[in-house]
Amino acid sequence: MQTFVNIFLGFFVFESVGAAPITATTVYNSEFYDIPLGELSHAFVYDENEQFNQLETEIGTALPSVIQESYSSVPLTEEPEEEASTPRLVDGSSAHGSGVLGPQTQDGFPTCLLCTCLGTTVYCDDHELNAVPPLPKKTTYFYARYNRIKKINRNDFAPLSNLKRIDLTANFISEIHEDAFRRLPQLEELVLRDNRIRQLPELPSTLRFIDVSKNRLGRKGIRNEAFK
């Protein structure tokens, strides 16, 4: 009896398996379909450019743009630095010499950088000078008005053989060396107006004009035969 039941169940399972539908792969050919795309339940629009743009945007967002720089394979050579040298002036002379800009002043600057030089004329007006600055040897006219010069030394103008006019108006000059002007062979005009001078030094015979007004000259301030 048990054997009969097992045979019956086996036969039933076999029949069930054989009755199951076989799933076959279906090939769709668009030539046999007359249904418009608009009537499809899931209509879609395929745009190749849109997908490409979207793909490009996604890639650009995920990967930052990298700008590649081209480098030359030739090794760079550093240019040799120019050696520090003594500055040269307009005429090629040194700042320590007596070129166009003259020798250095007590502040370390060539006179014509501190003052204004036009040709052979030097203008040092209103520069708060405490002394006569070193001047170019070819100076002909010198103006140092409205400064704080207190004293004229013996050698302030000694090497200036071409000097014709000196104007030291409105300084604090109270002392002038005896030989400060005497050794100037071409001095013609001397202006010492508005200072504190008490006595005039010896003057050169070439002098044609002098202004010593508004000073402190007394009877003994001008020696005998001073203007002989």
PDB file of all heavy atoms in Angstrom, residues 103-107 109-112 114-115 122-124 127 129-136 139 142-144 147 149 155-157 160 168:
ATOM      1  N   PRO A 103      80.468 117.051  -5.014  1.00  0.00           N
ATOM      2  CA  PRO A 103      80.821 116.107  -3.943  1.00  0.00           C
ATOM      3  C   PRO A 103      79.650 115.914  -2.994  1.00  0.00           C
ATOM      4  O   PRO A 103      78.665 116.641  -3.046  1.00  0.00           O
ATOM      5  CB  PRO A 103      82.002 116.805  -3.252  1.00  0.00           C
ATOM      6  CG  PRO A 103      81.803 118.256  -3.540  1.00  0.00           C
ATOM      7  CD  PRO A 103      81.192 118.333  -4.902  1.00  0.00           C
ATOM      8  N   GLN A 104      79.759 114.947  -2.130  1.00  0.00           N
ATOM      9  CA  GLN A 104      78.673 114.658  -1.203  1.00  0.00           C
ATOM     10  C   GLN A 104      78.585 115.705  -0.102  1.00  0.00           C
ATOM     11  O   GLN A 104      79.578 116.257   0.356  1.00  0.00           O
ATOM     12  CB  GLN A 104      78.871 113.280  -0.578  1.00  0.00           C
ATOM     13  CG  GLN A 104      78.646 112.136  -1.557  1.00  0.00           C
ATOM     14  CD  GLN A 104      78.703 110.797  -0.868  1.00  0.00           C
ATOM     15  OE1 GLN A 104      79.212 110.696   0.242  1.00  0.00           O
ATOM     16  NE2 GLN A 104      78.192 109.774  -1.518  1.00  0.00           N
ATOM     17  N   THR A 105      77.352 115.946   0.334  1.00  0.00           N
ATOM     18  CA  THR A 105      77.120 116.857   1.447  1.00  0.00           C
ATOM     19  C   THR A 105      77.346 116.114   2.759  1.00  0.00           C
ATOM     20  O   THR A 105      77.637 114.921   2.780  1.00  0.00           O
ATOM     21  CB  THR A 105      75.682 117.386   1.401  1.00  0.00           C
ATOM     22  OG1 THR A 105      74.794 116.270   1.566  1.00  0.00           O
ATOM     23  CG2 THR A 105      75.385 118.049   0.061  1.00  0.00           C
ATOM     24  N   GLN A 106      77.158 116.802   3.852  1.00  0.00           N
ATOM     25  CA  GLN A 106      77.339 116.171   5.149  1.00  0.00           C
ATOM     26  C   GLN A 106      76.277 115.110   5.414  1.00  0.00           C
ATOM     27  O   GLN A 106      76.436 114.258   6.279  1.00  0.00           O
ATOM     28  CB  GLN A 106      77.277 117.240   6.251  1.00  0.00           C
ATOM     29  CG  GLN A 106      75.961 118.022   6.260  1.00  0.00           C
ATOM     30  CD  GLN A 106      75.976 119.151   7.270  1.00  0.00           C
ATOM     31  OE1 GLN A 106      76.935 119.294   8.019  1.00  0.00           O
ATOM     32  NE2 GLN A 106      74.920 119.944   7.305  1.00  0.00           N
ATOM     33  N   ASP A 107      75.179 115.127   4.636  1.00  0.00           N
ATOM     34  CA  ASP A 107      74.138 114.115   4.767  1.00  0.00           C
ATOM     35  C   ASP A 107      74.376 112.919   3.871  1.00  0.00           C
ATOM     36  O   ASP A 107      73.587 111.978   3.856  1.00  0.00           O
ATOM     37  CB  ASP A 107      72.768 114.723   4.439  1.00  0.00           C
ATOM     38  CG  ASP A 107      72.395 115.830   5.413  1.00  0.00           C
ATOM     39  OD1 ASP A 107      72.741 115.696   6.599  1.00  0.00           O
ATOM     40  OD2 ASP A 107      71.777 116.817   4.982  1.00  0.00           O
ATOM     41  N   PHE A 109      74.542 112.978   0.506  1.00  0.00           N
ATOM     42  CA  PHE A 109      73.936 113.122  -0.810  1.00  0.00           C
ATOM     43  C   PHE A 109      74.767 114.057  -1.667  1.00  0.00           C
ATOM     44  O   PHE A 109      75.304 115.043  -1.168  1.00  0.00           O
ATOM     45  CB  PHE A 109      72.522 113.699  -0.696  1.00  0.00           C
ATOM     46  CG  PHE A 109      71.570 112.820   0.045  1.00  0.00           C
ATOM     47  CD1 PHE A 109      71.229 113.101   1.357  1.00  0.00           C
ATOM     48  CD2 PHE A 109      71.000 111.719  -0.573  1.00  0.00           C
ATOM     49  CE1 PHE A 109      70.348 112.294   2.049  1.00  0.00           C
ATOM     50  CE2 PHE A 109      70.117 110.906   0.114  1.00  0.00           C
ATOM     51  CZ  PHE A 109      69.785 111.187   1.421  1.00  0.00           C
ATOM     52  N   PRO A 110      74.865 113.767  -2.980  1.00  0.00           N
ATOM     53  CA  PRO A 110      75.494 114.750  -3.868  1.00  0.00           C
ATOM     54  C   PRO A 110      74.728 116.059  -3.807  1.00  0.00           C
ATOM     55  O   PRO A 110      73.503 116.070  -3.676  1.00  0.00           O
ATOM     56  CB  PRO A 110      75.375 114.090  -5.240  1.00  0.00           C
ATOM     57  CG  PRO A 110      75.285 112.633  -4.943  1.00  0.00           C
ATOM     58  CD  PRO A 110      74.526 112.525  -3.656  1.00  0.00           C
ATOM     59  N   THR A 111      75.440 117.171  -3.889  1.00  0.00           N
ATOM     60  CA  THR A 111      74.829 118.480  -3.708  1.00  0.00           C
ATOM     61  C   THR A 111      73.649 118.709  -4.638  1.00  0.00           C
ATOM     62  O   THR A 111      72.622 119.251  -4.236  1.00  0.00           O
ATOM     63  CB  THR A 111      75.877 119.585  -3.935  1.00  0.00           C
ATOM     64  OG1 THR A 111      76.951 119.375  -3.038  1.00  0.00           O
ATOM     65  CG2 THR A 111      75.285 120.956  -3.685  1.00  0.00           C
ATOM     66  N   CYS A 112      73.778 118.279  -5.898  1.00  0.00           N
ATOM     67  CA  CYS A 112      72.727 118.550  -6.864  1.00  0.00           C
ATOM     68  C   CYS A 112      71.561 117.581  -6.786  1.00  0.00           C
ATOM     69  O   CYS A 112      70.635 117.657  -7.587  1.00  0.00           O
ATOM     70  CB  CYS A 112      73.306 118.571  -8.284  1.00  0.00           C
ATOM     71  SG  CYS A 112      74.424 119.967  -8.530  1.00  0.00           S
ATOM     72  N   LEU A 114      70.465 117.129  -3.474  1.00  0.00           N
ATOM     73  CA  LEU A 114      69.897 117.843  -2.342  1.00  0.00           C
ATOM     74  C   LEU A 114      69.362 119.196  -2.778  1.00  0.00           C
ATOM     75  O   LEU A 114      68.260 119.604  -2.401  1.00  0.00           O
ATOM     76  CB  LEU A 114      70.956 118.019  -1.250  1.00  0.00           C
ATOM     77  CG  LEU A 114      70.545 118.809  -0.006  1.00  0.00           C
ATOM     78  CD1 LEU A 114      69.463 118.062   0.759  1.00  0.00           C
ATOM     79  CD2 LEU A 114      71.750 119.047   0.890  1.00  0.00           C
ATOM     80  N   CYS A 115      70.129 119.893  -3.600  1.00  0.00           N
ATOM     81  CA  CYS A 115      69.754 121.209  -4.106  1.00  0.00           C
ATOM     82  C   CYS A 115      69.332 121.085  -5.573  1.00  0.00           C
ATOM     83  O   CYS A 115      69.137 119.998  -6.083  1.00  0.00           O
ATOM     84  CB  CYS A 115      70.927 122.172  -3.952  1.00  0.00           C
ATOM     85  SG  CYS A 115      71.551 122.301  -2.248  1.00  0.00           S
ATOM     86  N   VAL A 122      73.709 126.921  -8.730  1.00  0.00           N
ATOM     87  CA  VAL A 122      73.245 125.997  -7.695  1.00  0.00           C
ATOM     88  C   VAL A 122      72.260 126.734  -6.789  1.00  0.00           C
ATOM     89  O   VAL A 122      72.590 127.780  -6.223  1.00  0.00           O
ATOM     90  CB  VAL A 122      74.419 125.449  -6.865  1.00  0.00           C
ATOM     91  CG1 VAL A 122      73.911 124.499  -5.780  1.00  0.00           C
ATOM     92  CG2 VAL A 122      75.426 124.740  -7.762  1.00  0.00           C
ATOM     93  N   TYR A 123      71.051 126.174  -6.658  1.00  0.00           N
ATOM     94  CA  TYR A 123      70.006 126.746  -5.803  1.00  0.00           C
ATOM     95  C   TYR A 123      69.782 125.833  -4.601  1.00  0.00           C
ATOM     96  O   TYR A 123      69.342 124.694  -4.749  1.00  0.00           O
ATOM     97  CB  TYR A 123      68.692 126.882  -6.573  1.00  0.00           C
ATOM     98  CG  TYR A 123      68.747 127.845  -7.743  1.00  0.00           C
ATOM     99  CD1 TYR A 123      69.045 127.385  -9.021  1.00  0.00           C
ATOM    100  CD2 TYR A 123      68.492 129.202  -7.564  1.00  0.00           C
ATOM    101  CE1 TYR A 123      69.093 128.256 -10.096  1.00  0.00           C
ATOM    102  CE2 TYR A 123      68.535 130.082  -8.641  1.00  0.00           C
ATOM    103  CZ  TYR A 123      68.835 129.602  -9.899  1.00  0.00           C
ATOM    104  OH  TYR A 123      68.883 130.479 -10.971  1.00  0.00           O
ATOM    105  N   CYS A 124      70.085 126.353  -3.418  1.00  0.00           N
ATOM    106  CA  CYS A 124      69.877 125.600  -2.176  1.00  0.00           C
ATOM    107  C   CYS A 124      68.968 126.389  -1.232  1.00  0.00           C
ATOM    108  O   CYS A 124      69.124 126.316  -0.007  1.00  0.00           O
ATOM    109  CB  CYS A 124      71.209 125.316  -1.493  1.00  0.00           C
ATOM    110  SG  CYS A 124      72.279 124.163  -2.393  1.00  0.00           S
ATOM    111  N   HIS A 127      66.371 124.903   2.488  1.00  0.00           N
ATOM    112  CA  HIS A 127      66.642 123.488   2.706  1.00  0.00           C
ATOM    113  C   HIS A 127      67.091 123.203   4.138  1.00  0.00           C
ATOM    114  O   HIS A 127      67.590 122.116   4.425  1.00  0.00           O
ATOM    115  CB  HIS A 127      67.718 122.985   1.729  1.00  0.00           C
ATOM    116  CG  HIS A 127      67.179 122.610   0.388  1.00  0.00           C
ATOM    117  ND1 HIS A 127      66.717 123.548  -0.499  1.00  0.00           N
ATOM    118  CD2 HIS A 127      67.017 121.398  -0.212  1.00  0.00           C
ATOM    119  CE1 HIS A 127      66.314 122.934  -1.610  1.00  0.00           C
ATOM    120  NE2 HIS A 127      66.479 121.636  -1.447  1.00  0.00           N
ATOM    121  N   LEU A 129      69.635 124.206   5.732  1.00  0.00           N
ATOM    122  CA  LEU A 129      71.069 123.912   5.806  1.00  0.00           C
ATOM    123  C   LEU A 129      71.684 124.599   7.015  1.00  0.00           C
ATOM    124  O   LEU A 129      71.382 125.756   7.316  1.00  0.00           O
ATOM    125  CB  LEU A 129      71.761 124.391   4.534  1.00  0.00           C
ATOM    126  CG  LEU A 129      71.306 123.743   3.215  1.00  0.00           C
ATOM    127  CD1 LEU A 129      72.042 124.386   2.042  1.00  0.00           C
ATOM    128  CD2 LEU A 129      71.553 122.239   3.241  1.00  0.00           C
ATOM    129  N   ASN A 130      72.580 123.894   7.678  1.00  0.00           N
ATOM    130  CA  ASN A 130      73.301 124.463   8.812  1.00  0.00           C
ATOM    131  C   ASN A 130      74.684 124.956   8.431  1.00  0.00           C
ATOM    132  O   ASN A 130      75.358 125.607   9.234  1.00  0.00           O
ATOM    133  CB  ASN A 130      73.433 123.428   9.930  1.00  0.00           C
ATOM    134  CG  ASN A 130      72.086 123.055  10.528  1.00  0.00           C
ATOM    135  OD1 ASN A 130      71.241 123.921  10.750  1.00  0.00           O
ATOM    136  ND2 ASN A 130      71.873 121.773  10.772  1.00  0.00           N
ATOM    137  N   ALA A 131      75.110 124.632   7.212  1.00  0.00           N
ATOM    138  CA  ALA A 131      76.421 125.045   6.727  1.00  0.00           C
ATOM    139  C   ALA A 131      76.393 125.078   5.202  1.00  0.00           C
ATOM    140  O   ALA A 131      75.488 124.529   4.571  1.00  0.00           O
ATOM    141  CB  ALA A 131      77.501 124.089   7.222  1.00  0.00           C
ATOM    142  N   VAL A 132      77.376 125.724   4.616  1.00  0.00           N
ATOM    143  CA  VAL A 132      77.483 125.753   3.158  1.00  0.00           C
ATOM    144  C   VAL A 132      77.819 124.349   2.678  1.00  0.00           C
ATOM    145  O   VAL A 132      78.805 123.753   3.129  1.00  0.00           O
ATOM    146  CB  VAL A 132      78.574 126.750   2.716  1.00  0.00           C
ATOM    147  CG1 VAL A 132      78.751 126.702   1.199  1.00  0.00           C
ATOM    148  CG2 VAL A 132      78.219 128.166   3.171  1.00  0.00           C
ATOM    149  N   PRO A 133      77.042 123.770   1.759  1.00  0.00           N
ATOM    150  CA  PRO A 133      77.313 122.415   1.294  1.00  0.00           C
ATOM    151  C   PRO A 133      78.478 122.381   0.317  1.00  0.00           C
ATOM    152  O   PRO A 133      78.832 123.407  -0.280  1.00  0.00           O
ATOM    153  CB  PRO A 133      76.004 122.036   0.581  1.00  0.00           C
ATOM    154  CG  PRO A 133      75.474 123.336   0.081  1.00  0.00           C
ATOM    155  CD  PRO A 133      75.830 124.348   1.128  1.00  0.00           C
ATOM    156  N   PRO A 134      79.119 121.247   0.130  1.00  0.00           N
ATOM    157  CA  PRO A 134      80.173 121.127  -0.887  1.00  0.00           C
ATOM    158  C   PRO A 134      79.572 121.381  -2.267  1.00  0.00           C
ATOM    159  O   PRO A 134      78.520 120.839  -2.604  1.00  0.00           O
ATOM    160  CB  PRO A 134      80.639 119.676  -0.746  1.00  0.00           C
ATOM    161  CG  PRO A 134      80.200 119.267   0.621  1.00  0.00           C
ATOM    162  CD  PRO A 134      78.936 119.996   0.884  1.00  0.00           C
ATOM    163  N   LEU A 135      80.233 122.194  -3.063  1.00  0.00           N
ATOM    164  CA  LEU A 135      79.695 122.600  -4.356  1.00  0.00           C
ATOM    165  C   LEU A 135      80.557 122.095  -5.503  1.00  0.00           C
ATOM    166  O   LEU A 135      81.767 121.909  -5.339  1.00  0.00           O
ATOM    167  CB  LEU A 135      79.604 124.131  -4.427  1.00  0.00           C
ATOM    168  CG  LEU A 135      78.715 124.789  -3.370  1.00  0.00           C
ATOM    169  CD1 LEU A 135      78.872 126.305  -3.427  1.00  0.00           C
ATOM    170  CD2 LEU A 135      77.263 124.382  -3.558  1.00  0.00           C
ATOM    171  N   PRO A 136      79.945 121.869  -6.685  1.00  0.00           N
ATOM    172  CA  PRO A 136      80.745 121.497  -7.864  1.00  0.00           C
ATOM    173  C   PRO A 136      81.774 122.585  -8.171  1.00  0.00           C
ATOM    174  O   PRO A 136      81.515 123.777  -7.970  1.00  0.00           O
ATOM    175  CB  PRO A 136      79.691 121.398  -8.966  1.00  0.00           C
ATOM    176  CG  PRO A 136      78.409 121.126  -8.256  1.00  0.00           C
ATOM    177  CD  PRO A 136      78.494 121.867  -6.965  1.00  0.00           C
ATOM    178  N   THR A 139      80.860 125.778 -10.240  1.00  0.00           N
ATOM    179  CA  THR A 139      79.755 126.639  -9.810  1.00  0.00           C
ATOM    180  C   THR A 139      80.089 128.105 -10.059  1.00  0.00           C
ATOM    181  O   THR A 139      81.143 128.599  -9.653  1.00  0.00           O
ATOM    182  CB  THR A 139      79.455 126.428  -8.318  1.00  0.00           C
ATOM    183  OG1 THR A 139      79.125 125.055  -8.103  1.00  0.00           O
ATOM    184  CG2 THR A 139      78.304 127.301  -7.860  1.00  0.00           C
ATOM    185  N   PHE A 142      75.742 130.915  -6.759  1.00  0.00           N
ATOM    186  CA  PHE A 142      75.313 130.088  -5.639  1.00  0.00           C
ATOM    187  C   PHE A 142      74.277 130.837  -4.804  1.00  0.00           C
ATOM    188  O   PHE A 142      74.517 131.954  -4.352  1.00  0.00           O
ATOM    189  CB  PHE A 142      76.516 129.711  -4.759  1.00  0.00           C
ATOM    190  CG  PHE A 142      76.144 128.981  -3.494  1.00  0.00           C
ATOM    191  CD1 PHE A 142      75.484 127.761  -3.549  1.00  0.00           C
ATOM    192  CD2 PHE A 142      76.453 129.509  -2.252  1.00  0.00           C
ATOM    193  CE1 PHE A 142      75.143 127.083  -2.392  1.00  0.00           C
ATOM    194  CE2 PHE A 142      76.116 128.850  -1.089  1.00  0.00           C
ATOM    195  CZ  PHE A 142      75.465 127.622  -1.156  1.00  0.00           C
ATOM    196  N   TYR A 143      73.124 130.189  -4.601  1.00  0.00           N
ATOM    197  CA  TYR A 143      72.032 130.763  -3.808  1.00  0.00           C
ATOM    198  C   TYR A 143      71.679 129.804  -2.681  1.00  0.00           C
ATOM    199  O   TYR A 143      71.313 128.645  -2.926  1.00  0.00           O
ATOM    200  CB  TYR A 143      70.796 130.995  -4.684  1.00  0.00           C
ATOM    201  CG  TYR A 143      71.002 131.977  -5.807  1.00  0.00           C
ATOM    202  CD1 TYR A 143      71.527 131.555  -7.028  1.00  0.00           C
ATOM    203  CD2 TYR A 143      70.696 133.324  -5.646  1.00  0.00           C
ATOM    204  CE1 TYR A 143      71.736 132.447  -8.063  1.00  0.00           C
ATOM    205  CE2 TYR A 143      70.896 134.234  -6.678  1.00  0.00           C
ATOM    206  CZ  TYR A 143      71.412 133.785  -7.884  1.00  0.00           C
ATOM    207  OH  TYR A 143      71.623 134.686  -8.907  1.00  0.00           O
ATOM    208  N   ALA A 144      71.791 130.276  -1.451  1.00  0.00           N
ATOM    209  CA  ALA A 144      71.427 129.481  -0.278  1.00  0.00           C
ATOM    210  C   ALA A 144      70.642 130.358   0.692  1.00  0.00           C
ATOM    211  O   ALA A 144      71.013 130.530   1.855  1.00  0.00           O
ATOM    212  CB  ALA A 144      72.666 128.886   0.380  1.00  0.00           C
ATOM    213  N   ASN A 147      67.978 129.701   4.999  1.00  0.00           N
ATOM    214  CA  ASN A 147      68.481 128.491   5.652  1.00  0.00           C
ATOM    215  C   ASN A 147      68.867 128.820   7.090  1.00  0.00           C
ATOM    216  O   ASN A 147      68.446 129.852   7.636  1.00  0.00           O
ATOM    217  CB  ASN A 147      69.663 127.923   4.876  1.00  0.00           C
ATOM    218  CG  ASN A 147      69.231 127.215   3.603  1.00  0.00           C
ATOM    219  OD1 ASN A 147      68.685 126.120   3.639  1.00  0.00           O
ATOM    220  ND2 ASN A 147      69.473 127.846   2.455  1.00  0.00           N
ATOM    221  N   ILE A 149      72.269 128.683   8.207  1.00  0.00           N
ATOM    222  CA  ILE A 149      73.736 128.743   8.216  1.00  0.00           C
ATOM    223  C   ILE A 149      74.183 129.790   9.241  1.00  0.00           C
ATOM    224  O   ILE A 149      73.719 130.933   9.217  1.00  0.00           O
ATOM    225  CB  ILE A 149      74.262 129.091   6.817  1.00  0.00           C
ATOM    226  CG1 ILE A 149      73.812 128.009   5.818  1.00  0.00           C
ATOM    227  CG2 ILE A 149      75.783 129.203   6.832  1.00  0.00           C
ATOM    228  CD1 ILE A 149      74.143 128.332   4.379  1.00  0.00           C
ATOM    229  N   ASN A 155      87.353 127.623   4.077  1.00  0.00           N
ATOM    230  CA  ASN A 155      87.426 126.839   2.847  1.00  0.00           C
ATOM    231  C   ASN A 155      86.068 126.500   2.231  1.00  0.00           C
ATOM    232  O   ASN A 155      85.990 125.644   1.352  1.00  0.00           O
ATOM    233  CB  ASN A 155      88.191 125.548   3.114  1.00  0.00           C
ATOM    234  CG  ASN A 155      89.636 125.795   3.493  1.00  0.00           C
ATOM    235  OD1 ASN A 155      90.288 126.686   2.947  1.00  0.00           O
ATOM    236  ND2 ASN A 155      90.144 125.017   4.455  1.00  0.00           N
ATOM    237  N   ASP A 156      85.011 127.156   2.688  1.00  0.00           N
ATOM    238  CA  ASP A 156      83.689 126.861   2.132  1.00  0.00           C
ATOM    239  C   ASP A 156      83.614 127.153   0.633  1.00  0.00           C
ATOM    240  O   ASP A 156      82.929 126.447  -0.112  1.00  0.00           O
ATOM    241  CB  ASP A 156      82.619 127.678   2.864  1.00  0.00           C
ATOM    242  CG  ASP A 156      82.296 127.079   4.233  1.00  0.00           C
ATOM    243  OD1 ASP A 156      82.720 125.930   4.499  1.00  0.00           O
ATOM    244  OD2 ASP A 156      81.630 127.770   5.038  1.00  0.00           O
ATOM    245  N   PHE A 157      84.308 128.214   0.180  1.00  0.00           N
ATOM    246  CA  PHE A 157      84.281 128.591  -1.238  1.00  0.00           C
ATOM    247  C   PHE A 157      85.681 128.553  -1.870  1.00  0.00           C
ATOM    248  O   PHE A 157      85.848 128.986  -3.007  1.00  0.00           O
ATOM    249  CB  PHE A 157      83.707 129.995  -1.396  1.00  0.00           C
ATOM    250  CG  PHE A 157      82.318 130.149  -0.829  1.00  0.00           C
ATOM    251  CD1 PHE A 157      82.130 130.810   0.375  1.00  0.00           C
ATOM    252  CD2 PHE A 157      81.220 129.636  -1.499  1.00  0.00           C
ATOM    253  CE1 PHE A 157      80.854 130.958   0.900  1.00  0.00           C
ATOM    254  CE2 PHE A 157      79.946 129.780  -0.977  1.00  0.00           C
ATOM    255  CZ  PHE A 157      79.747 130.436   0.236  1.00  0.00           C
ATOM    256  N   LEU A 160      86.384 127.222  -5.548  1.00  0.00           N
ATOM    257  CA  LEU A 160      85.447 127.682  -6.582  1.00  0.00           C
ATOM    258  C   LEU A 160      86.008 128.908  -7.298  1.00  0.00           C
ATOM    259  O   LEU A 160      85.618 130.043  -7.047  1.00  0.00           O
ATOM    260  CB  LEU A 160      84.087 127.986  -5.955  1.00  0.00           C
ATOM    261  CG  LEU A 160      83.483 126.849  -5.112  1.00  0.00           C
ATOM    262  CD1 LEU A 160      82.172 127.274  -4.503  1.00  0.00           C
ATOM    263  CD2 LEU A 160      83.322 125.596  -5.959  1.00  0.00           C
ATOM    264  N   LEU A 168      73.415 134.738   0.313  1.00  0.00           N
ATOM    265  CA  LEU A 168      73.111 134.031   1.560  1.00  0.00           C
ATOM    266  C   LEU A 168      72.082 134.810   2.374  1.00  0.00           C
ATOM    267  O   LEU A 168      72.155 134.875   3.609  1.00  0.00           O
ATOM    268  CB  LEU A 168      74.388 133.837   2.370  1.00  0.00           C
ATOM    269  CG  LEU A 168      75.452 132.936   1.714  1.00  0.00           C
ATOM    270  CD1 LEU A 168      76.773 133.022   2.482  1.00  0.00           C
ATOM    271  CD2 LEU A 168      74.970 131.502   1.644  1.00  0.00           C
TER     272      LEU A 168
END
